[in-house]
Amino acid sequence: MSESIAERIAALRDELNFHLHRYHVLNDPVISDAEYDALFRELQALEADYPELATADSPTRRVGGDAVDEFVKVAHPAPILSLANAFDAEGLREWERRTRRLLTQTGQEEARLEYMVEPKIDGLTVVLTYESGRFVLGATRGNGEIGENITPNLLTLAALPRRIPIDRQAGLTHPVPGRLVVRGEAFFPLDQFDVWNEGRLAAGEKSYMNPRNAASGSLRQLDPKITAARPLTLLCYDIVLADGAIPGTQWERLRWLKALGFPIPSEIAFCRDIEAVIAAYEGWLEKRNQINYEVDGIVVKINDRRLADDLGFVGKDPRGAIAGKFPAQEKTTTLLDVNLSVGRTGIVAPTAVLEPVELGGVIVRNATLHNFDEIARKDIRIGDKVWVKRAGDVIPYVVGPIPDLRDGTERPIEPPTTCPACGEPVRRIEGEVAITCDNPACPEQLVRRIEYFVSRGAMDIGSFGSQTAVLLTEKQLIHDMADIYFLRREDLLELEGFKDKKVDRLLEGIEASKAQPATRFLTALGIRFVGSVIAATLLDAFVSIDRLQEATQEEIEAVYGLGKETAVSVVSWFQDERNLRLLEKFREAGLNFAVDRVEPVGEQPLAGLTFVITGTLPTLSRDEAKSLIENYGGKVTGSVSKNTDFLLVGENAGSKLTKAEALGVAILDEEALRAKIGDRG
């Protein structure tokens, strides 16, 4: 065997590990996937021809090696310690006060206290050992003294550097020690966890309650091939042991680890005092749900690591660091019962009645169960101990049951056969999970429909609030949405709290809404899948609600931007005799059923251009801006894509602006739009 073969194999390993780091850690690849695949196949072929040169740290082994019979216990070279906790800003201040008292007692009262703030990742702690720059051992934290050898499983993680430094040209502040032990956290990115977990459910396999349990279970598989098939990754944040010189501050250590090729958290902050730490803590509380991994707090470390080490320990907790814990977003409680509610589109939704539990600073008594298919798939029962989660402003939801705590008294949750509000039979559309009530006079459904009908995005009757909708339906002055236009002044004056001015304002708002364009009227009808954008698309194609009523499913599906589910929903709605009688009442009330075609202006400077509108414009409403663009030949769509020419932005622009910038879509404000069409307002 020639020397050049061994050299080529070694060079390929180093090059592939470098490119894995660029792709999975830095998100900045420098070669294409095809080029990477070619190098990978070359190494595979050489290792197959020369198996004596194959090594455990080869990139070709990331698919998983041979299974083991059991995990071997390994002793850590130094204790892998836990941290004391603070639960609010005052707890962090008290920690600093204790630290300063201790420094005074040891004659170090002049010591400067500066801090590093890092995310407290909720994953599985791992301990990584390198000798002569090569990864040789990976272990779990275990009890802090002894862990389990999970080296074969860790070798499947693309983010793990097998040899350091990854980049031979990296400018290192300190040389690579002969032996280096690094602490990190293995975890599931949230977006990939959700997809993977749903895949398990679809395959009839047991799902994991949260990403942390999934990470722990994945890294403790006896067969590494199972680990390799799961989307785990890694972040590193501390040095446990080194037999050479290492940087003296936490800030420098993180930079040095990054230069060696270790993935480190990008969300870190240097803080000059404890008040800056508290500001960072509060900032993390606000953004914790925007990060693509679970965090249950921050870790605060004294930046001067030598000073931190001099402070020693309290029990097993180092004095030089503390965890600032966030309010819990997930806890267990008991599912006491299930309530059923009916939405404006008739969907019957199950809601869990819970034994009250504090989550994220609020008391949670109810949580969504999503739908009955989800209940059956997770086998959730009344009386179960369940995991409940509340992430930020998201409605609390039941993650799943804890079957091991059942005592046999739990009861299955059965889907309803009749509507809980009106008693009419419910139905399930083939291929959908929703159970619906189709009775337009259903009282609970009616209130929700009226609320939507009068809302700002629909008929915009500002004087008609939710309480008014509830009261008028309870008093049976309204039996369907069209009855709004047949309310009588004398009947309203008999209601408690309805005086002359209030009644006049309500009736004036109702009368004014008759002038709303047909697109708003179609939107307000609340047909499933038909929001304002779809309503405009439908009337652009069919001109009037009468013509839309006659359209076939095939004709609707043929309209650009519409799909089968929308077409089925629209056709089904117009086939219901109760809805047709409702339309006749609206026609009698004088609402607009047809689009007023505006003759285009002479010049068409926006012809062939596609616009999307986001945010609040200075002088134009959304509808006015849309009409202006269309009058000058442009087209307005609801979402940004590679086919969008311009994004028209106002104040409080949201995710559409971010997506437009990522796609390189041109950005216009209202002034620039007017300039483009030669209109100065």
Side-chain angles (χ1 to χ4, degrees):
M1 178 179 57
S2 68
E3 184 74 20
S4 61
I5 295 296
E7 291 174 351
R8 179 58 181 162
I9 288 176
L12 281 169
R13 286 182 191 137
D14 284 349
E15 187 172 1
L16 286 167
N17 280 323
F18 169 75
H19 290 307
L20 280 168
H21 177 73
R22 298 286 309 190
Y23 184 88
H24 288 283
V25 178
L26 302 182
N27 294 315
D28 187 21
V30 292
I31 62 172
S32 67
D33 289 349
E35 291 171 302
Y36 177 87
D37 291 341
L39 294 172
F40 188 88
R41 287 194 298 271
E42 182 185 353
L43 179 58
Q44 270 186 321
L46 287 172
E47 289 180 340
D49 291 340
Y50 301 94
E52 68 275 13
L53 296 179
T55 59
D57 66 351
S58 171
T60 61
R61 300 277 292 188
R62 290 193 189 273
V63 295
D66 297 330
V68 298
D69 294 328
E70 61 180 347
F71 293 113
V72 177
K73 304 292 185 183
V74 293
H76 297 307
I80 309 302
L81 302 170
S82 58
L83 292 173
N85 295 322
F87 295 95
D88 52 26
E90 187 53 37
L92 291 169
R93 291 189 184 99
E94 178 55 33
W95 169 69
E96 192 207 36
R97 287 194 287 267
R98 290 197 305 269
T99 302
R100 290 199 177 278
R101 285 197 296 268
L102 190 61
L103 289 173
T104 300
Q105 292 169 10
T106 57
Q108 301 179 82
E109 59 271 14
E110 299 300 321
R112 186 181 183 89
L113 286 180
E114 296 175 325
Y115 306 96
M116 283 298 299
V117 173
E118 304 164 18
K120 189 175 184 298
I121 305 164
D122 196 12
L124 179 73
T125 298
V126 293
V127 183
L128 314 172
T129 301
Y130 290 78
E131 292 181 356
S132 301
R134 291 189 178 276
F135 176 65
V136 296
L137 175 66
T140 62
R141 177 178 179 271
N143 63 9
E145 303 285 342
I146 296 174
E148 292 176 320
N149 185 340
I150 56 169
T151 304
N153 292 342
L154 286 169
L155 282 168
T156 68
L157 272 61
L160 174 80
R162 299 185 173 206
R163 185 173 178 180
I164 55 174
I166 290 288
D167 184 355
R168 302 298 179 205
Q169 310 303 315
L172 298 176
T173 56
H174 294 71
V176 180
R179 188 166 190 239
L180 177 67
V181 183
V182 173
R183 180 171 176 172
E185 203 84 3
F187 60 93
F188 273 81
L190 293 180
D191 54 353
Q192 297 183 52
F193 169 75
D194 291 338
V195 172
W196 173 77
N197 217 21
E198 284 297 322
R200 288 181 64 85
L201 282 172
E205 298 176 324
K206 179 183 176 182
S207 64
Y208 281 88
M209 291 298 172
N210 54 57
R212 188 194 182 284
N213 290 352
S216 177
S218 298
L219 282 172
R220 299 191 74 259
Q221 295 288 330
L222 294 176
D223 186 353
K225 291 184 178 64
I226 297 176
T227 307
R230 300 181 177 183
L232 284 162
T233 191
L234 173 76
L235 287 175
C236 299
Y237 50 82
D238 210 352
I239 297 169
V240 177
L241 184 76
D243 64 3
I246 59 174
T249 68
Q250 179 65 9
W251 174 258
E252 291 168 334
R253 287 188 185 185
L254 289 171
R255 294 181 62 187
W256 184 61
L257 286 173
K258 184 176 181 180
L260 287 173
F262 291 98
I264 68 169
S266 57
E267 298 84 6
I268 58 176
F270 171 77
C271 298
R272 295 196 177 278
D273 55 39
I274 197 66
E275 293 306 315
V277 169
I278 290 166
Y281 172 81
E282 292 171 348
W284 263 99
L285 266 174
E286 293 180 7
K287 70 179 182 181
R288 66 186 294 195
N289 297 307
Q290 302 167 20
I291 307 300
N292 198 28
Y293 50 83
E294 292 273 12
V295 288
D296 58 359
I298 60 170
V299 175
V300 185
K301 299 174 182 175
I302 293 175
N303 190 42
D304 186 335
R305 292 303 298 269
R306 295 181 182 87
L307 179 63
D309 292 343
D310 288 345
L311 289 169
F313 307 91
V314 177
K316 290 189 175 182
D317 299 334
R319 289 192 176 101
I322 194 168
K325 297 295 290 289
F326 296 150
Q329 291 186 301
E330 189 172 84
K331 284 186 180 178
T332 62
T333 188
T334 302
L335 175 59
L336 302 176
D337 203 353
V338 174
N339 285 340
L340 302 179
S341 60
V342 186
R344 68 173 179 82
T345 59
I347 294 176
V348 181
T351 300
V353 180
L354 304 170
E355 188 174 296
V357 61
E358 189 274 328
L359 269 180
V362 301
I363 301 299
V364 174
R365 292 180 171 84
N366 301 100
T368 181
L369 287 161
H370 297 298
N371 56 65
F372 290 96
D373 279 9
E374 188 84 351
I375 291 171
R377 188 162 60 234
K378 293 181 177 180
D379 189 23
I380 302 171
R381 306 177 189 180
I382 295 172
D384 267 337
K385 278 285 186 182
V386 293
W387 284 100
V388 181
K389 185 167 186 175
R390 178 180 182 269
D393 295 328
V394 176
I395 297 171
Y397 65 94
V398 175
V399 179
I402 309 174
D404 291 346
L405 298 182
R406 286 176 177 161
D407 60 13
T409 62
E410 296 78 16
R411 294 178 287 120
I413 300 170
E414 300 293 343
T417 56
T418 58
C419 174
C422 69
E424 289 280 314
V426 294
R427 71 183 180 103
R428 179 185 294 216
I429 300 172
E430 186 178 351
E432 295 189 14
V433 298
I435 293 175
T436 61
C437 169
D438 291 333
N439 178 14
C442 173
E444 190 170 342
Q445 198 176 151
L446 178 59
V447 171
R448 303 287 173 263
R449 286 180 173 176
I450 291 171
E451 288 174 342
Y452 181 72
F453 186 88
V454 302
S455 66
R456 184 175 180 182
M459 298 303 282
D460 194 18
I461 307 177
S463 52
F464 203 130
S466 297
Q467 291 182 341
T468 301
V470 172
L471 178 63
L472 295 181
T473 52
E474 285 180 349
K475 296 297 183 181
Q476 297 191 1
L477 293 179
I478 292 180
H479 299 89
D480 58 42
M481 294 184 292
D483 280 342
I484 291 171
Y485 294 95
F486 297 93
L487 289 169
R488 299 188 307 173
R489 192 171 191 277
E490 56 269 29
D491 292 333
L492 293 172
L493 286 171
E494 292 181 3
L495 299 175
E496 185 177 350
F498 279 69
K499 304 299 182 184
D500 285 336
K501 287 186 178 180
K502 182 173 182 176
V503 170
D504 289 343
R505 190 164 59 249
L506 176 61
L507 293 176
E508 286 167 6
I510 292 171
E511 185 64 27
S513 74
K514 294 180 181 180
Q516 293 285 12
T519 51
R520 278 184 174 262
F521 175 38
L522 180 58
T523 301
L525 289 176
I527 302 172
R528 197 172 180 208
F529 304 127
V530 180
S532 58
V533 173
I534 298 299
T537 301
L538 285 167
L539 290 181
D540 279 346
F542 296 101
V543 183
S544 72
I545 292 174
D546 292 329
R547 174 66 187 91
L548 178 61
Q549 177 182 333
E550 299 168 357
T552 65
Q553 179 181 328
E554 291 74 20
E555 287 177 315
I556 296 173
E557 283 187 54
V559 177
Y560 178 77
L562 302 183
K564 180 179 179 179
E565 64 179 11
T566 300
V568 169
S569 176
V570 171
V571 170
S572 298
W573 194 91
F574 282 107
Q575 287 176 343
D576 192 314
E577 286 295 329
R578 293 171 295 191
N579 292 329
L580 297 182
R581 290 195 294 270
L582 186 67
L583 285 177
E584 286 308 308
K585 289 179 69 173
F586 278 126
R587 193 188 306 279
E588 182 184 346
L591 272 66
N592 285 319
F593 274 63
V595 174
D596 291 328
R597 291 296 194 191
V598 179
E599 289 299 319
V601 295
E603 296 183 22
Q604 297 283 281
L606 305 184
L609 299 177
T610 300
F611 291 75
V612 173
I613 305 170
T614 186
T616 304
L617 300 172
T619 68
L620 297 173
S621 68
R622 286 282 182 93
D623 286 343
E624 289 168 341
K626 181 175 183 291
S627 297
L628 184 65
I629 290 168
E630 291 174 344
N631 287 348
Y632 284 90
K635 178 182 177 182
V636 177
T637 61
S639 58
V640 176
S641 72
K642 62 183 180 180
N643 298 318
T644 304
D645 295 299
F646 294 98
L647 179 70
L648 178 60
V649 300
E651 289 186 8
N652 302 316
S655 59
K656 291 179 182 178
L657 177 57
T658 304
K659 186 173 182 181
E661 290 172 339
L663 293 174
V665 173
I667 311 297
L668 291 177
D669 59 13
E670 183 182 321
E671 184 179 359
L673 173 66
R674 291 187 182 279
K676 199 169 186 64
I677 62 177
D679 175 15
R680 296 297 175 179

